[in-house]
Amino acid sequence: MVAFALALTGLAQDTQSKLTKQMGLTQNLGAYLPKDVPFKDESGKEIKFGEVFQGRPVLLIPMFFTCKTMCVNIADGLVQTLAKATKSDSLKPGRDLDVVMLSINHKETPELAQAKKVEIFNLLTPPKGRGENVEWRATAEQGWHMLTGTEESVRAITNAVGFKFSYDHRTDIINHPTASMFLTPGGQVATYIVGPTFPTSVLKADTAMAARNEVGRAVDQSFMFGCVRFDKAGKYTIVVENVIRLACVLTLIALGGAILTMSLKERRKR
């Protein structure tokens, strides 16, 4: 059993090595993003990346709109936090911060981006004409940007923030980490958020820090969700970068405990 556990650990390290060669995160705190990179917003309008900065902090979320797994969790996590915050009139997009969802799939279109934005806002607020605060929604929509662009444009931004992902042109497979980053109003990387959840306290603290043009410290990413990819059968598979390693550690602990227990029992019998 010990030999099996050691073999499993070796497999985990090999798997992790292959994954981290394809995707990962380097926290480029303090780096400035290029503002002249061209994109299209959800309406199809051609803009420069710098146009998303309107004197407010920017929450940048690299993702892709047709993803059915972790990207959905990221969007849902952010919506849940912002929905709670609206009750206390805090963290309002278009007033306190801007949200930029950047598609890392250069084949996606503004039409897909617009459909995703409608889906998000129907979760964040009731559909228009059903008793919601129309003014609140209009302001929030102006502060929520869904960008699509060429592979060169996408890479220019993701490289600047240290967001490493792989795209297979032959199979259309995308592997990417689940991470977001706050940018200062001047376009500087202030903080990172690792994982698909956005705790209210973290979101408020990071928004405030970026608004003050301050740069925070690196966050722990030891158990970051690794990527979303297609398997050979064409089904979605969630890969967690360190889950295999964690499972191996737990296996070793369990085996060690079992061996210790058996050893103690033998000693008692003697």
Side-chain angles (χ1 to χ4, degrees):
M1 288 192 299
V2 174
F4 170 75
L6 292 176
L8 189 59
T9 303
L11 175 62
Q13 292 174 345
D14 181 62
T15 302
Q16 183 192 18
S17 176
K18 291 179 180 178
L19 286 175
T20 52
K21 286 180 180 178
Q22 296 178 344
M23 40 68 64
L25 181 67
T26 300
Q27 298 184 41
N28 293 339
L29 292 164
Y32 282 92
L33 273 67
K35 294 186 178 181
D36 59 346
V37 181
F39 287 99
K40 288 184 178 180
D41 67 11
E42 65 275 9
S43 69
K45 178 184 176 182
E46 295 186 359
I47 66 170
K48 300 291 186 181
F49 187 74
E51 294 180 49
V52 303
F53 295 94
Q54 299 294 325
R56 296 179 289 269
V58 170
L59 175 59
L60 175 64
I61 306 176
M63 58 182 293
F64 59 105
F65 307 130
T66 54
C67 174
K68 302 299 182 183
T69 51
M70 291 311 301
C71 293
V72 174
N73 293 337
I74 292 172
D76 288 348
L78 180 60
V79 167
Q80 289 173 10
T81 298
L82 293 181
K84 293 178 182 178
T86 59
K87 297 179 180 179
S88 59
D89 194 31
S90 62
L91 295 177
K92 180 179 180 180
R95 185 194 67 187
D96 304 314
L97 75 160
D98 285 279
V99 177
V100 175
M101 289 184 164
L102 170 65
S103 172
I104 57 176
N105 185 343
H106 64 278
K107 292 183 179 180
E108 292 195 321
T109 63
E111 289 77 16
L112 285 173
Q114 178 61 36
K116 187 66 177 180
K117 185 172 182 177
V118 170
E119 176 187 327
I120 288 172
F121 270 82
N122 283 343
L123 292 173
L124 188 60
T125 61
K128 291 181 179 179
R130 296 189 182 180
E132 82 292 354
N133 188 323
V134 176
E135 182 181 354
W136 186 98
R137 180 167 178 147
T139 300
E141 286 181 345
Q142 291 177 0
W144 200 297
H145 314 275
M146 315 289 282
L147 302 185
T148 55
T150 64
E151 187 171 8
E152 292 75 18
S153 292
V154 172
R155 294 285 185 185
I157 301 301
T158 57
N159 288 344
V161 298
F163 185 93
K164 184 171 67 174
F165 70 97
S166 69
Y167 175 78
D168 190 319
H169 292 81
R170 182 179 57 85
T171 61
D172 231 17
I173 290 175
I174 298 178
N175 293 333
H176 68 93
T178 53
S180 310
M181 50 288 307
F182 263 101
L183 312 176
T184 68
Q188 191 176 18
V189 180
T191 58
Y192 286 83
I193 298 177
V194 170
T197 60
F198 297 84
T200 302
S201 58
V202 173
L203 211 57
K204 285 184 176 180
D206 286 7
T207 299
M209 180 174 289
R212 298 192 299 267
N213 291 294
E214 296 178 1
V215 175
R217 297 180 179 180
V219 297
D220 179 30
Q221 59 186 67
S222 57
F223 292 102
M224 178 177 64
F225 282 88
C227 63
V228 178
R229 63 179 174 82
F230 283 106
D231 61 22
K232 293 181 180 179
K235 298 178 181 179
Y236 280 103
T237 302
I238 300 177
V239 180
V240 184
E241 182 179 349
N242 287 313
V243 163
I244 298 175
R245 183 175 65 180
L246 176 60
C248 292
V249 172
L250 295 176
T251 300
L252 288 172
I253 293 173
L255 287 173
I259 292 171
L260 179 60
T261 300
M262 288 187 291
S263 177
L264 290 174
K265 287 182 178 179
E266 287 296 327
R267 287 184 182 181
R268 288 174 183 173
K269 288 181 180 180
R270 290 175 184 175

